[in-house]
Every structure is written in structure tokens, then in C-alpha cells.
Amino acid sequence: MATAVQVGSYSSRFITFQPASVSHWSWYGFDGRVEWCACFVSWCANECGYIESGVIPKFAGCANGVQWFKDRGQWQDSSFEPSAGHIIFFDWECDGEVDHVGIVEKCENGIVYTVEGNSGDACRQKQYAVGSSVIYGYGIPAY
């Protein structure tokens, strides 16, 4: 089984998928295009053996992923300083509704580096300040 760092590294290999990756939503079981950020996170987790082992859920909706981690006491709010392999959830409108999800690649000097599917309809590496207003919180898998 992969380590937390390997999940972050594994996901970063897919930043060149252009345009939207049909493989992520079709792997999940959808016949047509869907918002696929959660499908990407689930796919990466599956490739590392974490869905089968129950470490990360298979989820297509961001709210379902949040609830899974909260139900297990594996949740941290946006002020938390994450590590590689943590699952980062976003609230773009700051309205209390989770909108997007990605995987933490690393956190250095107050900056969270992520890999995200369905970011501009592609896989991209991005970065945010720790505690940014758009960060909803973090799922903390029990690796």
C-alpha cells in the first residue's frame, strides 16, 4: 500500500490530462461528463489501494467526502497546517457549501501545494496560503 506522500506524488503525475479526463468520471461509473474533482481524488486513492482498505472513501460529491471524514473524526478546519496526502476541500463562494476537492502535495512556509482534478477542466498543481478563506477544511486519512 502507498504512503500518504506517495498519494500526493501519484496524483501529481496526472497534471497533464487535457481537457477533462473522461477516464476519471467513467471509472467512477458515470456515462457522461460530471464535475469530476472528487472522481479524480477517488481514482488516485483507488490506484494506491486506499478505497478497498477503507482509508479514503469513493465519492463523487464533495459534501459526501466531507461527511465521511467528519463521521470518523478525521476532519480539520481551514486553519490546520496539512501534510502530503491529506484531502483538501474548498468553498469558493465562502457560503458554507463545499465546492471542490484536491489532494495536498506538500505544505511549506505557510503555503499548501495541491493537485486538483477538474481545475479549469484539467488536472493542475495549485497553491494557497494556509488558512485561506477558500479552504473549507481537510480530510485526514488514517494511512
Side-chain angles (χ1 to χ4, degrees):
M1 186 177 294
T3 66
V5 173
Q6 288 170 315
V7 173
S9 297
Y10 187 85
S11 62
S12 68
R13 290 190 290 174
F14 297 96
I15 61 172
T16 58
F17 283 8
Q18 305 280 342
S21 179
V22 173
S23 64
H24 295 124
W25 73 67
S26 61
W27 165 82
Y28 197 92
F30 293 106
D31 292 329
R33 190 197 187 289
V34 297
E35 298 300 326
W36 53 277
C37 58
C39 295
F40 173 73
V41 170
S42 293
W43 182 81
C44 290
N46 185 66
E47 292 299 302
C48 293
Y50 290 135
I51 291 177
E52 184 176 330
S53 65
V55 174
I56 296 176
K58 181 178 181 181
F59 65 105
C62 296
N64 299 92
V66 168
Q67 195 59 55
W68 190 92
F69 285 108
K70 284 184 174 183
D71 288 348
R72 286 155 181 78
Q74 296 172 251
W75 181 257
Q76 293 289 330
D77 68 22
S78 62
S79 65
F80 177 75
E81 189 165 314
S83 298
H86 288 163
I87 310 302
I88 184 169
F89 292 88
F90 298 93
D91 175 4
W92 299 134
E93 291 84 31
C94 300
D95 60 3
E97 301 281 329
V98 64
D99 302 307
H100 185 65
V101 64
I103 300 169
V104 174
E105 197 172 21
K106 64 182 177 178
C107 185
E108 292 179 345
N109 302 315
I111 303 295
V112 181
Y113 296 87
T114 65
V115 178
E116 302 166 33
N118 200 29
S119 178
D121 215 23
C123 293
R124 300 185 193 280
Q125 289 177 300
K126 300 189 80 176
Q127 62 188 48
Y128 307 87
V130 170
S132 168
S133 63
V134 299
I135 298 173
Y136 187 78
Y138 300 92
I140 311 300
Y143 293 110

PDB file of all heavy atoms in Angstrom, residues 91-97 99 132-135:
ATOM      1  N   ASP A  91     -14.371  25.966  -0.546  1.00  0.00           N
ATOM      2  CA  ASP A  91     -15.646  26.678  -0.597  1.00  0.00           C
ATOM      3  C   ASP A  91     -15.370  27.998  -1.314  1.00  0.00           C
ATOM      4  O   ASP A  91     -15.030  29.002  -0.696  1.00  0.00           O
ATOM      5  CB  ASP A  91     -16.160  26.910   0.829  1.00  0.00           C
ATOM      6  CG  ASP A  91     -17.421  27.746   0.895  1.00  0.00           C
ATOM      7  OD1 ASP A  91     -17.968  28.107  -0.166  1.00  0.00           O
ATOM      8  OD2 ASP A  91     -17.850  28.061   2.025  1.00  0.00           O
ATOM      9  N   TRP A  92     -15.478  27.992  -2.640  1.00  0.00           N
ATOM     10  CA  TRP A  92     -15.092  29.153  -3.452  1.00  0.00           C
ATOM     11  C   TRP A  92     -15.877  30.413  -3.104  1.00  0.00           C
ATOM     12  O   TRP A  92     -15.338  31.511  -3.158  1.00  0.00           O
ATOM     13  CB  TRP A  92     -15.254  28.863  -4.939  1.00  0.00           C
ATOM     14  CG  TRP A  92     -14.424  27.746  -5.483  1.00  0.00           C
ATOM     15  CD1 TRP A  92     -14.860  26.748  -6.307  1.00  0.00           C
ATOM     16  CD2 TRP A  92     -13.019  27.493  -5.299  1.00  0.00           C
ATOM     17  NE1 TRP A  92     -13.822  25.892  -6.617  1.00  0.00           N
ATOM     18  CE2 TRP A  92     -12.687  26.328  -6.018  1.00  0.00           C
ATOM     19  CE3 TRP A  92     -12.030  28.135  -4.568  1.00  0.00           C
ATOM     20  CZ2 TRP A  92     -11.391  25.809  -6.047  1.00  0.00           C
ATOM     21  CZ3 TRP A  92     -10.740  27.616  -4.590  1.00  0.00           C
ATOM     22  CH2 TRP A  92     -10.434  26.469  -5.329  1.00  0.00           C
ATOM     23  N   GLU A  93     -17.171  30.275  -2.799  1.00  0.00           N
ATOM     24  CA  GLU A  93     -18.009  31.449  -2.534  1.00  0.00           C
ATOM     25  C   GLU A  93     -18.035  31.835  -1.052  1.00  0.00           C
ATOM     26  O   GLU A  93     -18.708  32.796  -0.682  1.00  0.00           O
ATOM     27  CB  GLU A  93     -19.445  31.214  -3.013  1.00  0.00           C
ATOM     28  CG  GLU A  93     -19.591  31.151  -4.516  1.00  0.00           C
ATOM     29  CD  GLU A  93     -19.294  29.755  -5.075  1.00  0.00           C
ATOM     30  OE1 GLU A  93     -19.553  28.758  -4.374  1.00  0.00           O
ATOM     31  OE2 GLU A  93     -18.778  29.673  -6.202  1.00  0.00           O
ATOM     32  N   CYS A  94     -17.353  31.066  -0.205  1.00  0.00           N
ATOM     33  CA  CYS A  94     -17.343  31.297   1.243  1.00  0.00           C
ATOM     34  C   CYS A  94     -18.770  31.363   1.796  1.00  0.00           C
ATOM     35  O   CYS A  94     -19.099  32.204   2.636  1.00  0.00           O
ATOM     36  CB  CYS A  94     -16.563  32.574   1.581  1.00  0.00           C
ATOM     37  SG  CYS A  94     -14.841  32.517   1.044  1.00  0.00           S
ATOM     38  N   ASP A  95     -19.617  30.438   1.302  1.00  0.00           N
ATOM     39  CA  ASP A  95     -21.026  30.409   1.710  1.00  0.00           C
ATOM     40  C   ASP A  95     -21.367  29.192   2.567  1.00  0.00           C
ATOM     41  O   ASP A  95     -22.526  28.898   2.824  1.00  0.00           O
ATOM     42  CB  ASP A  95     -21.936  30.451   0.479  1.00  0.00           C
ATOM     43  CG  ASP A  95     -21.720  29.285  -0.476  1.00  0.00           C
ATOM     44  OD1 ASP A  95     -20.888  28.388  -0.175  1.00  0.00           O
ATOM     45  OD2 ASP A  95     -22.371  29.262  -1.544  1.00  0.00           O
ATOM     46  N   GLY A  96     -20.331  28.463   2.996  1.00  0.00           N
ATOM     47  CA  GLY A  96     -20.552  27.281   3.820  1.00  0.00           C
ATOM     48  C   GLY A  96     -20.862  26.020   3.035  1.00  0.00           C
ATOM     49  O   GLY A  96     -21.118  24.972   3.623  1.00  0.00           O
ATOM     50  N   GLU A  97     -20.832  26.097   1.711  1.00  0.00           N
ATOM     51  CA  GLU A  97     -21.090  24.945   0.840  1.00  0.00           C
ATOM     52  C   GLU A  97     -19.776  24.518   0.186  1.00  0.00           C
ATOM     53  O   GLU A  97     -19.115  25.324  -0.470  1.00  0.00           O
ATOM     54  CB  GLU A  97     -22.094  25.314  -0.265  1.00  0.00           C
ATOM     55  CG  GLU A  97     -23.432  25.788   0.241  1.00  0.00           C
ATOM     56  CD  GLU A  97     -24.325  24.651   0.677  1.00  0.00           C
ATOM     57  OE1 GLU A  97     -24.210  23.556   0.102  1.00  0.00           O
ATOM     58  OE2 GLU A  97     -25.103  24.866   1.621  1.00  0.00           O
ATOM     59  N   ASP A  99     -17.351  23.122  -2.493  1.00  0.00           N
ATOM     60  CA  ASP A  99     -17.449  23.205  -3.954  1.00  0.00           C
ATOM     61  C   ASP A  99     -16.433  22.370  -4.720  1.00  0.00           C
ATOM     62  O   ASP A  99     -16.627  22.098  -5.903  1.00  0.00           O
ATOM     63  CB  ASP A  99     -17.240  24.666  -4.406  1.00  0.00           C
ATOM     64  CG  ASP A  99     -18.218  25.618  -3.803  1.00  0.00           C
ATOM     65  OD1 ASP A  99     -19.430  25.372  -3.904  1.00  0.00           O
ATOM     66  OD2 ASP A  99     -17.773  26.625  -3.209  1.00  0.00           O
ATOM     67  N   SER A 132      -6.371  30.113   4.073  1.00  0.00           N
ATOM     68  CA  SER A 132      -7.063  30.891   3.043  1.00  0.00           C
ATOM     69  C   SER A 132      -8.571  30.788   3.219  1.00  0.00           C
ATOM     70  O   SER A 132      -9.093  29.732   3.583  1.00  0.00           O
ATOM     71  CB  SER A 132      -6.674  30.367   1.655  1.00  0.00           C
ATOM     72  OG  SER A 132      -7.520  30.908   0.657  1.00  0.00           O
ATOM     73  N   SER A 133      -9.277  31.860   2.929  1.00  0.00           N
ATOM     74  CA  SER A 133     -10.735  31.884   3.097  1.00  0.00           C
ATOM     75  C   SER A 133     -11.446  30.891   2.195  1.00  0.00           C
ATOM     76  O   SER A 133     -12.578  30.513   2.483  1.00  0.00           O
ATOM     77  CB  SER A 133     -11.273  33.292   2.842  1.00  0.00           C
ATOM     78  OG  SER A 133     -11.022  33.690   1.501  1.00  0.00           O
ATOM     79  N   VAL A 134     -10.821  30.434   1.111  1.00  0.00           N
ATOM     80  CA  VAL A 134     -11.482  29.488   0.210  1.00  0.00           C
ATOM     81  C   VAL A 134     -11.284  28.030   0.640  1.00  0.00           C
ATOM     82  O   VAL A 134     -11.917  27.136   0.088  1.00  0.00           O
ATOM     83  CB  VAL A 134     -11.051  29.661  -1.269  1.00  0.00           C
ATOM     84  CG1 VAL A 134     -11.417  31.053  -1.771  1.00  0.00           C
ATOM     85  CG2 VAL A 134      -9.578  29.357  -1.454  1.00  0.00           C
ATOM     86  N   ILE A 135     -10.410  27.789   1.622  1.00  0.00           N
ATOM     87  CA  ILE A 135     -10.225  26.429   2.127  1.00  0.00           C
ATOM     88  C   ILE A 135     -11.343  26.126   3.123  1.00  0.00           C
ATOM     89  O   ILE A 135     -11.505  26.828   4.115  1.00  0.00           O
ATOM     90  CB  ILE A 135      -8.847  26.235   2.779  1.00  0.00           C
ATOM     91  CG1 ILE A 135      -7.730  26.467   1.741  1.00  0.00           C
ATOM     92  CG2 ILE A 135      -8.730  24.827   3.380  1.00  0.00           C
ATOM     93  CD1 ILE A 135      -6.324  26.454   2.332  1.00  0.00           C
TER      94      ILE A 135
END
